[in-house]
């Protein structure tokens, strides 16, 4: 990535972004041609530069789907670095970003279940209900992840949501070791 573009992303300098695009209108297109790449959107997400991230995601939405060299999308990076406002901004561009499968097929929903960010968990389920069906490489749902990591508040949110939307059958889904969530009666104690 162009050093000036990286610096603009780190600083959230939208004016510099447009100055660079005026010089080279295909700048973002060339980045988009690379399958696994750190984009200016990744950089902005790492630094919590929400406005810059939204500008890039608006100009080139496909960059929000890209994984970097360690298998993380911009949404994953925003969450990992604690920039919740940036993550929320990205879902206003495309709620399906909650379903982007990063390293080990972990989605942002899996991540917030593991870290027990219950407000964000409820918000993600609300704007992208299909994300509850996404599985990691270990065939784990977000509920499996929350149980495995002893995140009882996240489990309550997830199970309550499954009950409200009549999708309790997901509790019977088995991970790669054959464990379902119904086997431990987790939902009966929530």
């Amino acid at each position: 990535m162009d050093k000036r573009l990286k610096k603009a992303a780190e600083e959230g300098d939208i004016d510099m972004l447009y100055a660079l695009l005026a010089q080279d209108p295909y700048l973002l297109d060339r980045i988009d041609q690379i399958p696994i790449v750190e984009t200016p959107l990744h950089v902005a997400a790492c630094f919590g530069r929400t406005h810059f991230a939204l500008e890039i995601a608006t100009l080139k939405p496909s960059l929000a789907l890209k994984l970097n060299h360690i298998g993380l999308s911009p949404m994953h990076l925003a969450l990992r670095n604690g920039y919740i406002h940036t993550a929320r901004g990205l879902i206003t561009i495309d709620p399906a970003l909650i379903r982007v499968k990063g390293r080990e097929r972990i989605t942002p929903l899996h991540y917030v279940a593991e870290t027990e960010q219950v407000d964000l968990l409820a918000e993600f389920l609300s704007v992208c209900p299909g994300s509850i069906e996404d599985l990691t490489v270990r065939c784990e749902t977000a509920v499996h992840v929350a149980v495995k990591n002893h995140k009882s508040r996240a489990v309550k949110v997830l199970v309550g949501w499954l009950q409200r939307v009549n999708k309790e059958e997901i509790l019977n889904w088995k991970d790669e070791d054959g464990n379902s969530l119904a086997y431990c009666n987790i939902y009966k104690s929530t």
Side-chain angles (χ1 to χ4, degrees):
M1 176 183 351
D2 179 287
K3 290 178 186 178
R4 297 169 302 165
L5 181 57
K6 185 172 184 175
K7 186 173 193 253
E10 288 173 354
E11 296 174 358
D13 188 342
I14 294 172
D15 292 333
M16 176 56 77
L17 168 65
Y18 280 99
L20 292 169
L21 290 172
Q23 293 172 14
D24 181 1
Y26 296 100
L27 183 61
L28 297 177
D29 291 325
R30 279 196 305 284
I31 294 169
D32 196 26
Q33 294 303 309
I34 306 167
I36 306 290
V37 63
E38 180 181 63
T39 71
L41 185 49
H42 285 89
V43 174
C46 275
F47 284 85
R49 305 298 187 209
T50 304
H51 296 147
F52 190 95
L54 295 179
E55 200 73 27
I56 291 283
T58 300
L59 291 169
K60 199 66 162 165
S62 55
L63 294 182
L65 302 169
K66 296 272 185 195
L67 301 181
N68 66 9
H69 65 285
I70 57 172
L72 300 175
S73 72
M75 175 76 84
H76 287 93
L77 290 169
L79 292 168
R80 179 186 257 194
N81 290 301
Y83 295 115
I84 304 307
H85 188 69
T86 303
R88 282 188 168 120
L90 288 170
I91 62 173
T92 67
I93 300 288
D94 183 1
L97 295 175
I98 294 165
R99 299 190 78 173
V100 172
K101 291 162 183 68
R103 184 184 197 134
E104 298 185 21
R105 295 179 55 90
I106 294 169
T107 66
L109 183 71
H110 290 113
Y111 182 81
V112 296
E114 180 180 347
T115 57
E116 205 167 36
Q117 298 174 48
V118 293
D119 290 341
L120 201 53
L121 187 59
E123 186 176 337
F124 279 14
L125 290 168
S126 174
V127 298
C128 190
S131 63
I132 194 68
E133 297 181 12
D134 293 331
L135 302 174
T136 68
V137 294
R138 292 172 184 78
C139 296
E140 296 169 330
T141 65
V143 187
H144 282 102
V145 170
V147 169
K148 179 179 166 183
N149 289 284
H150 311 288
K151 303 299 183 182
S152 60
R153 290 182 10 228
V155 171
K156 287 180 182 180
V157 168
L158 289 161
V159 172
W161 186 84
L162 287 169
Q163 290 170 335
R164 277 190 302 284
V165 299
N166 295 318
K167 286 195 170 209
E168 292 176 83
E169 72 276 2
I170 289 175
L171 296 172
N172 294 318
W173 290 9
K174 295 181 179 183
D175 66 12
E176 70 180 3
D177 296 323
N179 297 318
S180 72
L181 299 167
Y183 80 95
C184 62
N185 291 325
I186 186 104
Y187 60 95
K188 295 192 187 325
S189 62
T190 59

